[in-house]
Amino acid sequence: MINSYIINIMRDKILLILFCSLLFTNCSLGNDNINEDLPDYLIQWHLIEVNGGIADVSHQFDLKVVIWVFNNKDANDTSDESLTITVTNNNTDDTKEDFLDSGNYNYSITEETDGNYITIEETEFGEVTFPTTTTLLIDTNELSTGSGADGYTYTFQRVLIPVN
């Protein structure tokens, strides 16, 4: 009886050791090729809505009408080269506020304790927020120098374009 009890305990311990060794040898904690299969994407920000102004307007835009692409420097780039935004503005309705015409613009982001503010071509335009991972807001009523009135809020939606 004692021998069968010892045999059962030994068998359970051997099975536990075997299970643990299989578990830990078949799992890899590090994978040097983790990003190899991930595609690269171009991030575009499509203007989808503009609200505010003196007339308290509300303009909606379809995707692909006004597109902003932020051309960021590589994190290792230490040059003084400016950050740029490439704007493609296909809006043909002059009654709709659409912010910037097509072109390339220098920009910078100023980080303050109360928010982040975008400056384009040396003019501060407003506070930048990301309410979701796919939404960008620029509120021209909120500046680093204080709040204003009758400005616009621009809402952009993120679109990912696969790049080869």
Side-chain angles (χ1 to χ4, degrees), residues 108-124:
S108 64
I109 301 292
T110 303
E111 297 178 24
E112 299 287 338
T113 55
D114 62 336
N116 297 317
Y117 301 91
I118 189 165
T119 298
I120 302 172
E121 295 296 326
E122 300 183 20
T123 300
E124 184 179 313

Side-chain angles (χ1 to χ4, degrees), residues 23-46:
L23 178 69
F24 292 122
T25 58
N26 287 329
C27 294
S28 174
L29 295 177
N31 185 350
D32 294 336
N33 301 324
I34 196 160
N35 291 327
E36 228 172 69
D37 297 330
L38 296 176
D40 289 328
Y41 290 97
L42 171 66
I43 299 172
Q44 295 181 338
W45 292 97
H46 294 240

Side-chain angles (χ1 to χ4, degrees), residues 134-146:
T134 60
T135 305
L136 162 66
L137 293 178
I138 299 176
D139 185 351
T140 63
N141 286 310
E142 298 297 328
L143 300 173
S144 64
T145 56

Side-chain angles (χ1 to χ4, degrees), residues 84-96:
T84 60
I85 304 168
T86 300
V87 176
T88 304
N89 188 335
N90 298 310
N91 178 32
T92 57
D93 186 346
D94 290 337
T95 65
K96 288 185 172 184

Side-chain angles (χ1 to χ4, degrees), residues 83-87 100-107 120-121:
L83 300 172
T84 60
I85 304 168
T86 300
V87 176
L100 296 173
D101 293 330
S102 292
N104 292 315
Y105 300 89
N106 293 325
Y107 83 95
I120 302 172
E121 295 296 326

Side-chain angles (χ1 to χ4, degrees), residues 6-25:
I6 292 173
I7 291 173
N8 285 337
I9 291 175
M10 292 298 287
R11 183 192 68 206
D12 291 344
K13 286 184 180 184
I14 291 172
L15 287 174
L16 180 63
I17 292 170
L18 180 62
F19 175 75
C20 288
S21 66
L22 288 174
L23 178 69
F24 292 122
T25 58

